[in-house]
Amino acid sequence: MFSIFAAYPTFLVFLAIVLSLVLTIALMPAWIRFLRSSHIGQQVRADGPQSHLVKQGTPTMGGVIMLIAVIVTALLVGLPVPETLLLLGATVLTGALGLIDDASKVAHERSLGLTPKAKLIGQFVIAAVFVEVAVNLLGVAPTVEIPFVYTFDLGVLTTVIPIGDGIAVPWLYLVFDLILLVGLCNAVNLTDGLDGLAAGTVMIVMIVMAAIAYRSDLLEPAIFAAALAGACIGFLWFNSFPADIFMGDTGSLALGMALGCLAVVTKTEFVVIIIGGLFVAEALSVMIQVFYYKRTKKRVFLMAPLHHHFEKKGWSETKVVVRFWIVSGVLAACGFVLYFAESMMVVA
C-alpha cells in the first residue's frame, strides 16, 4: 500500500510507529466498552499491595487490539516477506497463548489462569519452531556475539534431518535461544504489574530494536519493531495511571516473545540482555526471592517482582513507573551504544 515510499525507508519506519499508534487509539475505546459490558475484568492477586485491590474488575486483554494494530501496520507499511511473517507468527501465537490464559482467569475469577507448565510448554514450542525456521529459512547463523569480546559458534553440534534439502538442528544454539526467548517472554510478563510499566518500557526497548534492525539493513524487522513501539505508545493513552485497561498476558507474553525473536533476527542475542536489562532484573528478583525463601524462609525483597518491592518501601505507583522507564531508557541506550560501536569497528 505504501510502496510509493519504498525509496524512503526511514519514513516507513516512522510511519509504522504513527500508524500503529493511531490504530491502537482508534480501536481501544470500543474494545474497552465491549469488555465492560461483558464484565471481563482483571483478577487481582490477594497477596499483592493493598492499593491494587481497587483495580479488581478493570478491563483486561488490551493486548488483542495491540496485536491487531501491529499486524495491520506490519503488512501495510512493510512487505509480507518471510522475516515479517515469521516474526508476526511467533508474536501472534504467543499472544493467543496469553489470550487463553487471560480468558481462563476471567472464567474462573482468579488471578491465575493456565498452569505454569502449560504456558511454558506452549512458549517453548513456539520458540523452537521460530528458531528452526529462522536458521533454515532465513539463514540466521547459529552464533552468539559478545561485542568486543568473542563470537561463540553454537552450531558445532548440529544434526541434519534428511527431510527435503535437510533441516539443520543446531542443538547448542537452539537451547540458548529457547532460554533467551522464553526467559524474555516471562520477564516482560512479570514486569506487567503496574499501570504503564510494561507498555512504557517495551516502547523504549522496541524503538532501540527498530534502530538496530535498520542499522543492520533489515527494514522489515525494523518496521515490525516500530509497529510494536507505536502500539505501546497508543496503549499508554489508556493504560496510564489509573489504567482504563490492562494488556493482560495476551499483550505481555507476545511483547516478550517479539523482543526475543527480534534479537535472533538481528543477531543481538547478547546485547538484548542489556537493552532489556530491566526485564531481566524483574525476572531475577523473582528467582532470587523464591530460591532464598525456600532455603531460609526469609525474603530478600519486601515483595517480588522488583517493582512491588519499591511500592512496599513507600514509593507511589507512578514514581516506580517513571523511574523504571528512566532505568530502562539508560539500559537500552547503553545496549545500543555497545552494538553501534562494535558495528563501526567491523566497518573500519
Side-chain angles (χ1 to χ4, degrees), residues 36 50 95 167 197 199 215 243 305 310-311 334-335:
R36 283 176 176 164
Q50 294 299 303
I167 300 176
L197 180 56
R215 169 73 180 172
F310 289 103
E311 276 195 294
C334 289

Side-chain angles (χ1 to χ4, degrees), residues 30-40 59:
W31 182 240
I32 292 173
R33 288 194 296 270
F34 167 76
L35 293 172
R36 283 176 176 164
S37 64
S38 303
H39 304 290
I40 298 175

Side-chain angles (χ1 to χ4, degrees), residues 2-234:
F2 295 99
S3 57
I4 188 176
F5 300 113
Y8 308 97
T10 306
F11 172 78
L12 291 177
V13 173
F14 280 98
L15 178 62
I17 294 176
V18 174
L19 180 58
S20 185
L21 184 160
V22 171
L23 285 172
T24 303
I25 290 180
L27 297 175
M28 196 66 73
W31 182 240
I32 292 173
R33 288 194 296 270
F34 167 76
L35 293 172
R36 283 176 176 164
S37 64
S38 303
H39 304 290
I40 298 175
Q42 177 76 12
Q43 302 301 314
V44 178
R45 286 174 54 181
D47 61 340
Q50 294 299 303
S51 60
H52 288 205
L53 295 179
V54 298
K55 301 182 181 185
Q56 180 76 18
T58 300
T60 186
M61 293 188 278
V64 170
I65 300 301
M66 298 173 72
L67 289 177
I68 291 174
V70 170
I71 294 169
V72 172
T73 300
L75 295 179
L76 283 181
V77 178
L79 298 173
V81 296
E83 290 90 343
T84 300
L85 297 177
L86 185 57
L87 287 167
L88 282 175
T91 302
V92 172
L93 285 175
T94 309
L97 180 67
L99 182 61
I100 295 172
D101 187 41
D102 287 333
S104 176
K105 294 175 184 176
V106 172
H108 297 94
E109 296 185 348
R110 60 182 184 179
S111 61
L112 299 176
L114 293 176
T115 63
K117 182 178 180 181
K119 282 196 287 188
L120 283 175
I121 290 175
Q123 292 165 20
F124 273 113
V125 170
I126 294 169
V129 172
F130 174 86
V131 174
E132 277 300 291
V133 175
V135 170
N136 289 278
L137 181 62
L138 303 184
V140 171
T143 58
V144 175
E145 180 181 359
I146 300 179
F148 300 107
V149 179
Y150 191 72
T151 297
F152 295 92
D153 181 6
L154 300 185
V156 293
L157 184 60
T158 300
T159 301
V160 179
I161 301 175
I163 298 178
D165 295 330
I167 300 176
V169 184
W171 294 106
L172 295 178
Y173 184 69
L174 179 61
V175 170
F176 176 86
D177 276 356
L178 287 178
I179 295 172
L180 177 69
L181 268 62
V182 174
L184 285 173
C185 187
N186 287 283
V188 174
N189 180 244
L190 289 170
T191 305
D192 185 31
L194 301 178
D195 297 354
L197 180 56
T201 50
V202 172
M203 170 197 68
I204 294 168
V205 168
M206 285 302 171
I207 289 174
V208 170
M209 292 305 296
I212 287 176
Y214 188 85
R215 169 73 180 172
S216 303
D217 293 324
L218 298 170
L219 179 58
E220 304 307 322
I223 289 173
F224 173 75
L228 287 164
C232 287
I233 297 171

